Amino acid sequence: MSVDEAVRRHTLLARDGDEQLLGARLVARRKPGQWISAALALLVVAGIVKSLVTNPRYHWDVVGAFFLRPSILDGLVLTLWLTAAVLISSYLLGIVLAVMRLSTNPVLSSVSAVYIWFFRSVPPLLQLLFWFQMASLYPQISLGIPFLEPFVTIETAHLFSGLLAAFVGLTFDIAAFAAEIIRGGLVSVEAGQSEAAKALGLSKARIFWRIVLPQAMPAIIPASGNLLIGLLKGTSIVSVIAVQDLLYSVQLIYAQNYLVIPLLLVATIWYLILVTVLSTIQFFVERYYARGKGARTGFWRLWRGQLPLVPRSSPRRDVEVI
Amino acid sequence: MSEPLVRVRGLSKQFGANTVLDGIDLDVARGSVAVVLGPSGSGKSTLLRTVNHLEKPDAGFVEVDGEIIGYRREGAQLRELSDRAVTRQRSRIGMVFQQFNLFPHKTALENVLEGQLAAGVRRRAAETRGRELLDRVGLADKERSYPRQMSGGQQQRVAIARALAVEPELMLFDEPTSALDPEMVGEVLGVMKDLARTGMTMIVVTHEIGFAREVADQVVFLDDGRLVEAGPPGDVLVSPTHERARAFLSAVL
């Protein structure tokens, strides 16, 4: 029944002015506060940019001259592959620790808990110095069963170079945090998923790799992105034990020419570039693991959507409902 | 009468001080449908979950096709089987859950493939069979849909196809329509009726008395972990002898 008909039959009450109300245009509320705060923020940004450009002591010409120096690029490469190596080894160790932590075996669970407690408590720099001094604590490392004749014996003085100390120290540190992130993700997967997989006749390993872990990933990725970025920057502590990473290569140069600020800027810009690349990769990885969770969001659309002043072109629909 | 496919004997299970199953005896003949009724908390789901060893019994045993589930007989002992052996036994028993439990990160077709791939079926062959099964439950056009893009009734039908994909000789249904909107109950029961007609052996926990009346060969009634009534639907549903069963049926009918 149409509105007109309903009014005629007196099932709806007609009132004067309804016609105008129906024809009226809807105008959104104005938000002057948003414009004022945006203007203030832009003022601050303009001040910073002006100072960056006009202050001659930044020596942008020097930044440009040293930006692609081979020794700095070598440091950059070392930073990158140290990050990658630590990432891979610490996540493999982290998965093992997380699974141990969730195990019904009380010994395994406790060992994992103590590991996580210990390595989350010790600052990575302190650990690094410790591994570097390994030779004075254990001059030899022997592999074998306690109290019996060892199979292999290694002199630690030759073993722990600065780089290996950095790799081991950072791996042990990151693995403790990775284990907690992974455990959180695994716990977030409903028990019904493993049960359904068991009922289908999937083996334990298959259930973990194909059913549980992929569903844990959306919970694991964002925190892992943070951890990875922290790791990338954290590798700069190896400069303390004279490993030539990005930061240390820069320090070596300004120790000679005293152009401290511009060379620190070189390192800063490189770190900015690296983290930007990592964040972009994280975005696409997150989107991949969000499959099955509704409409995909494009990179630029998401970015625009975060601007406060631009109204959304359409109401946001995260989940498709049928 | 030939040897029953499922034999349950003296099955008991406790959760802490709470006795959930108390000496259940039950036979399910090959190709027949057994419907398990009872108030919530009476142990229906636990009984079903013990049949494929998702729960371990505290006493008694379940035998499917002459094989004791989850255990191996060694003299006077029943020793628990290895994970691998239990996995193999489970692959011959399909199960459908109240909450569907489809894998949300996999499409309908991928859900149906998963059990077959685990059983070593080639991908090409598995896909062919997967599409046949989706067609059989009326969802041939949904093979690329993710669970969240489907209605509850559609998800449950995919779950049935997924369970059938490994060619089980026994199907367990744990309140398959309880989480569904009323208008979707029919489509799922329809698929189950078709399945019963093909001669599949089924154990169904449900509150759908109409389904029991129409499809069941045997209706059993559980109360407080005990099997208090069993027989053809014409007897159990029409003139139950046990007082608790009478009260329950008069409340739901």
Side-chain angles (χ1 to χ4, degrees):
Chain A
M1 164 167 41
S2 73
V3 174
D4 284 346
E5 203 181 333
V7 170
R8 223 179 308 122
R9 290 197 194 174
H10 302 289
T11 52
L12 284 175
L13 186 64
R15 217 174 249 162
D16 289 342
D18 278 359
E19 289 301 313
Q20 277 129 304
L21 281 178
L22 283 170
R25 197 165 61 93
L26 299 174
V27 182
R29 176 155 42 97
R30 290 190 194 286
K31 296 176 177 173
Q34 285 208 344
W35 290 96
I36 294 168
S37 53
L40 283 174
L42 282 179
L43 217 60
V44 174
V45 171
I48 295 170
V49 170
K50 183 203 167 243
S51 131
L52 279 174
V53 174
T54 56
N55 186 340
R57 278 166 294 205
Y58 278 114
H59 285 295
W60 289 107
D61 52 325
V62 179
V63 172
F66 279 93
F67 195 66
L68 294 173
R69 272 294 163 91
S71 73
I72 289 177
L73 292 183
D74 286 349
L76 179 75
V77 169
L78 188 138
T79 291
L80 276 176
W81 83 249
L82 181 61
T83 304
V86 171
L87 179 76
I88 292 166
S89 57
S90 62
Y91 265 77
L92 289 177
L93 184 55
I95 288 178
V96 173
L97 285 166
V99 172
M100 279 170 70
R101 187 80 184 82
L102 294 171
S103 158
T104 49
N105 183 334
V107 176
L108 291 186
S109 176
S110 309
V111 166
S112 170
V114 169
Y115 176 99
I116 292 167
W117 162 76
F118 183 82
F119 283 99
R120 283 207 303 184
S121 311
V122 180
L125 178 56
L126 196 158
Q127 227 204 104
L128 209 62
L129 297 171
F130 214 90
W131 287 108
F132 200 45
Q133 299 300 325
M134 200 61 185
S136 60
L137 183 63
Y138 291 107
Q140 293 181 331
I141 294 180
S142 301
L143 213 61
I145 299 159
F147 309 114
L148 295 179
E149 198 64 23
F151 308 134
V152 208
T153 301
I154 307 164
E155 302 288 327
T156 37
H158 310 302
L159 186 65
F160 278 94
S161 65
L163 195 57
L164 187 63
F167 171 75
V168 172
L170 287 170
T171 294
F172 283 2
D173 179 65
I174 299 291
F177 290 92
E180 284 296 275
I181 292 173
I182 294 165
R183 184 177 69 92
L186 295 179
V187 168
S188 74
V189 180
E190 277 177 58
Q193 290 292 311
S194 312
E195 280 189 353
K198 274 187 201 167
L200 275 179
L202 270 63
S203 65
K204 273 189 170 176
R206 230 181 151 86
I207 293 173
F208 180 77
W209 290 107
R210 293 181 64 95
I211 307 299
V212 176
L213 192 60
Q215 291 185 62
M217 288 308 267
I220 291 174
I221 295 289
S224 295
N226 271 342
L227 190 63
L228 172 57
I229 288 169
L231 165 63
L232 176 80
K233 298 191 295 179
T235 55
S236 61
I237 62 169
V238 301
S239 58
V240 173
I241 51 173
V243 173
Q244 276 198 45
D245 74 324
L246 180 54
L247 179 59
Y248 195 65
S249 337
V250 164
Q251 287 175 323
L252 283 180
I253 298 174
Y254 73 59
Q256 287 173 0
N257 64 11
Y258 302 109
L259 292 164
V260 179
I261 295 293
L263 278 156
L264 287 179
L265 281 173
V266 169
T268 306
I269 293 170
W270 273 118
Y271 279 117
L272 283 173
I273 293 172
L274 295 181
V275 171
T276 306
V277 171
L278 286 183
S279 306
T280 311
I281 294 172
Q282 182 185 344
F283 172 85
F284 285 105
V285 173
E286 271 179 34
R287 198 173 67 163
Y288 171 77
Y289 280 108
R291 70 193 190 281
K293 286 200 170 171
R296 284 187 166 191
T297 318
F299 185 77
W300 293 112
R301 215 181 108 197
L302 197 76
W303 188 82
R304 266 206 326 269
Q306 284 171 348
L307 282 181
L309 299 178
V310 184
R312 295 185 209 290
S313 53
S314 61
R316 196 155 74 169
R317 288 181 58 202
D318 287 330
V319 181
E320 195 180 345
V321 183
I322 294 177
Chain B
M1 190 176 140
S2 64
E3 182 81 347
L5 180 68
V6 183
R7 297 199 321 137
V8 178
R9 289 293 178 272
L11 196 67
S12 296
K13 172 80 187 172
Q14 297 186 323
F15 290 128
N18 189 15
T19 302
V20 193
L21 293 178
D22 191 0
I24 304 275
D25 296 310
L26 176 69
D27 278 352
V28 180
R30 205 178 284 275
S32 77
V33 176
V35 168
V36 184
L37 298 177
S40 63
S42 59
K44 308 184 297 289
S45 289
T46 310
L47 170 62
L48 212 58
R49 292 161 57 83
T50 318
V51 173
N52 68 355
H53 209 55
L54 286 178
E55 303 283 0
K56 296 174 194 174
D58 292 328
F61 63 89
V62 176
E63 215 179 74
V64 176
D65 201 15
E67 235 182 272
I68 298 171
I69 294 297
Y71 296 90
R72 180 178 73 233
R73 188 168 181 176
E74 247 174 46
Q77 288 181 322
L78 284 181
R79 286 178 174 263
E80 189 169 16
L81 290 172
S82 66
D83 278 332
R84 178 184 296 223
V86 174
T87 298
R88 189 185 53 77
Q89 288 185 333
R90 282 190 183 127
S91 67
R92 294 160 57 196
I93 304 170
M95 185 158 185
V96 175
F97 298 84
Q98 182 176 358
Q99 299 296 337
F100 328 138
N101 293 351
L102 287 183
F103 306 132
H105 59 304
K106 293 181 179 291
T107 63
L109 182 62
E110 285 167 349
N111 265 279
V112 180
L113 293 184
E114 202 54 43
Q116 299 184 78
L117 296 177
V121 179
R122 290 270 183 90
R123 192 170 190 98
R124 184 67 65 80
E127 280 180 1
T128 309
R129 177 160 173 76
R131 292 204 173 90
E132 269 169 32
L133 283 164
L134 283 177
D135 188 35
R136 188 162 144 198
V137 298
L139 293 170
D141 56 332
K142 290 284 180 188
E143 66 167 75
R144 286 167 195 276
S145 298
Y146 285 98
R148 227 162 286 211
Q149 298 164 333
M150 289 185 272
S151 72
Q154 290 170 334
Q155 288 189 54
Q156 194 59 299
R157 285 188 280 156
V158 173
I160 294 173
R162 177 177 73 170
L164 288 173
V166 288
E167 304 190 39
E169 49 188 353
L170 169 67
M171 283 284 284
L172 309 173
F173 291 86
D174 189 3
E175 302 204 22
T177 58
S178 298
L180 294 175
D181 288 343
E183 55 181 329
M184 290 163 186
V185 169
E187 64 190 63
V188 171
L189 291 180
V191 168
M192 290 167 63
K193 283 174 197 165
D194 289 345
L195 189 59
R197 238 170 264 137
T198 64
M200 175 64 76
T201 313
M202 295 161 60
I203 305 180
V204 185
V205 170
T206 187
H207 294 300
E208 297 292 332
I209 305 295
F211 177 83
R213 194 182 294 129
E214 192 180 337
V215 183
D217 300 293
Q218 177 183 203
V219 174
V220 301
F221 189 89
L222 252 57
D223 180 46
D224 206 16
R226 274 189 298 272
L227 200 155
V228 295
E229 190 103 40
D235 297 351
V236 174
L237 297 176
V238 177
S239 50
T241 53
H242 194 268
E243 184 194 338
R244 190 68 187 80
R246 259 203 306 274
F248 178 82
L249 286 169
S250 67
V252 295
L253 279 175

